[in-house]
């Protein structure tokens, strides 16, 4: 009987403690005001810390399409499209500068290799999205002042920069062949390109 009473007491106390935590957070949701009551975003920008690291700042007019930032990126999330500049101009015209923010980890390793200082980590957060659909941003389609972080809160321009109809990268036949594991042969050995000695 004593054991039964002790178990009943423990069960009741455990449930009461759990319900207290639930009730405490339930009340907090009413006590704290909504996000818009604090910051009035998007009408007014949300204050950020001085060293906040947000979306990139990119200057399309300076970029020479050298690919150094894309090669430095540890997760290969920068995709650059370029064309040969029409003569007598030299170099390239950058027609696309996409960053896939589903992969980007904001490490800033793409910033240092740039020879013309046209890409930096910015403090812009207006390009954020609630779904994965808008995570690929084409900086070549953004207005220059938005891409360079001088102007924000332009939802139409941001929407245009995120309209990517095709995959930014598809596996080529060579890469697919290189990454496909060798199929086992009838003898149970993995197939290789080596020819048997004659
Ligand atoms: S911040 Fe890092 S992960 Fe993001 S694009 Fe630059 S190098 Fe790649
Ligand atoms: S390293 Fe700089 S100049 Fe070269 S492609 Fe990247 S952003 Fe453009």
């Amino acid at each position: 009987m004593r054991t039964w009473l002790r178990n009943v007491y423990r069960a009741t106390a455990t449930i009461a403690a759990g319900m207290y935590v639930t009730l405490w957070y339930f009340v907090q949701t009413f006590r704290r005001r909504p996000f818009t009551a604090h910051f009035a975003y998007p009408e007014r920008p949300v204050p950020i810390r001085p060293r906040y690291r947000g979306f990139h700042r990119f200057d399309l007019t300076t970029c020479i399409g050298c690919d150094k930032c894309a090669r430095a990126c540890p997760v290969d999330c920068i995709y650059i499209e370029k064309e040969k500049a029409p003569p007598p101009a030299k170099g390239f015209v950058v027609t696309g500068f996409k960053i896939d923010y589903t992969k980007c980890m904001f490490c800033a390793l793409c910033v240092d290799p740039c020879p013309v200082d046209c890409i930096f980590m910015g403090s812009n957060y207006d390009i954020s999205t609630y779904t994965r659909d808008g995570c690929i941003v084409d900086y070549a389609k953004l207005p220059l002042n938005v891409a360079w972080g001088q102007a924000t809160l332009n939802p139409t321009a941001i929407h245009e920069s995120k309209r990517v109809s095709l995959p930014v990268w598809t596996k080529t036949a060579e890469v697919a062949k290189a990454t496909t594991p060798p199929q086992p042969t009838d003898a149970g050995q993995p197939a290789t390109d080596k020819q048997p000695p004659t």
Side-chain angles (χ1 to χ4, degrees), residues 13-62:
T14 305
I15 292 171
M19 291 307 294
Y20 170 76
V21 173
T22 304
L23 193 62
W24 190 85
Y25 280 104
F26 178 76
V27 172
Q28 296 309 308
T29 59
F30 285 95
R31 285 184 54 190
R32 74 162 176 254
R33 293 177 297 159
F35 180 83
T36 49
H38 289 282
F39 299 115
Y41 183 83
E43 283 76 20
R44 298 177 62 187
V46 177
I48 52 170
R49 298 284 179 185
R51 298 189 65 187
Y52 173 80
R53 185 181 288 184
F55 288 90
H56 293 79
R57 293 173 65 195
F58 174 69
D59 184 3
L60 182 65
T61 59
T62 314

Side-chain angles (χ1 to χ4, degrees), residues 22-132:
T22 304
L23 193 62
W24 190 85
Y25 280 104
F26 178 76
V27 172
Q28 296 309 308
T29 59
F30 285 95
R31 285 184 54 190
R32 74 162 176 254
R33 293 177 297 159
F35 180 83
T36 49
H38 289 282
F39 299 115
Y41 183 83
E43 283 76 20
R44 298 177 62 187
V46 177
I48 52 170
R49 298 284 179 185
R51 298 189 65 187
Y52 173 80
R53 185 181 288 184
F55 288 90
H56 293 79
R57 293 173 65 195
F58 174 69
D59 184 3
L60 182 65
T61 59
T62 314
C63 177
I64 55 176
C66 66
D67 277 342
K68 287 189 176 178
C69 55
R71 283 200 294 269
C73 178
V75 292
D76 293 336
C77 68
I78 300 179
Y79 309 94
I80 299 171
E81 294 154 18
K82 57 194 175 187
E83 296 169 356
K84 275 273 188 192
K90 294 180 179 177
F92 296 98
V93 175
V94 176
T95 56
F97 194 94
K98 300 188 180 80
I99 297 184
D100 184 351
Y101 283 102
T102 60
K103 296 161 72 179
C104 176
M105 50 189 182
F106 298 88
C107 63
L109 291 176
C110 53
V111 173
D112 286 340
C114 181
V116 291
D117 291 341
C118 67
I119 186 168
F120 290 95
M121 301 309 294
S123 56
N124 178 13
Y125 46 78
D126 292 326
I127 311 178
S128 306
T129 178
Y130 286 109
T131 68
R132 295 187 181 189

